[in-house]
Amino acid sequence: DVQLVESGGGSVQAGGSLTLSCVASGTSSDCMGWFRQAPGKEREGVATVYTRGGYTYYADSVKGRFTISRDNTKKMVYLQMNSLRPEDTAMYYCATMWRCDWTPNYWAQGTQVTVS
């Protein structure tokens, strides 16, 4: 069974930083990424990274502020979020994809990020 477990959400003031972590098991997907969903809005892609090669992709709204990285030996993916804004407030989800095409095949349970 595929399992994705997140950690690292929380509350922070605008301009602050948070790092989200996600550990995966039971998957051979080539891509991992982060999505988010704010209240009343659709879920949107934030960042993805190929597990081999490390190529990264970002939503325009987070470019220059967020950094996605992975540790293949630990099967972990991270999202370093800097210069956080109130509009970044959302439930953040780790996900796996066969390709980095913003089409997840498995989701984690979600972790809340609140920026005030």
Side-chain angles (χ1 to χ4, degrees):
D1 290 351
V2 176
Q3 279 195 318
L4 301 173
V5 180
E6 302 169 340
S7 59
S11 298
V12 65
Q13 291 188 336
S17 298
L18 280 175
T19 300
L20 305 182
S21 302
C22 176
V23 59
S25 61
T27 177
S28 59
S29 297
D30 284 341
C31 179
M32 294 186 71
W34 294 91
F35 292 71
R36 66 185 182 186
Q37 187 168 21
K41 294 189 176 181
E42 293 187 354
R43 195 172 296 187
E44 62 175 356
V46 175
T48 62
V49 61
Y50 272 104
T51 54
R52 290 174 286 184
Y55 298 106
T56 58
Y57 304 91
Y58 295 94
D60 289 341
S61 58
V62 305
K63 281 180 182 176
R65 300 188 298 122
F66 291 11
T67 302
I68 189 170
S69 60
R70 88 273 188 243
D71 183 333
N72 290 339
T73 59
K74 297 179 181 178
K75 292 193 175 181
M76 293 195 70
V77 64
Y78 307 94
L79 186 68
Q80 174 68 43
M81 304 183 292
N82 297 328
S83 302
L84 283 162
R85 304 167 180 168
E87 53 264 40
D88 294 317
T89 295
M91 187 72 77
Y92 283 71
Y93 299 89
C94 172
T96 59
M97 289 152 273
W98 297 121
R99 301 192 308 269
C100 286
D101 60 359
W102 306 105
T103 306
N105 47 29
Y106 294 101
W107 297 95
Q109 77 284 0
T111 186
Q112 179 67 38
V113 171
T114 302
V115 185
S116 59

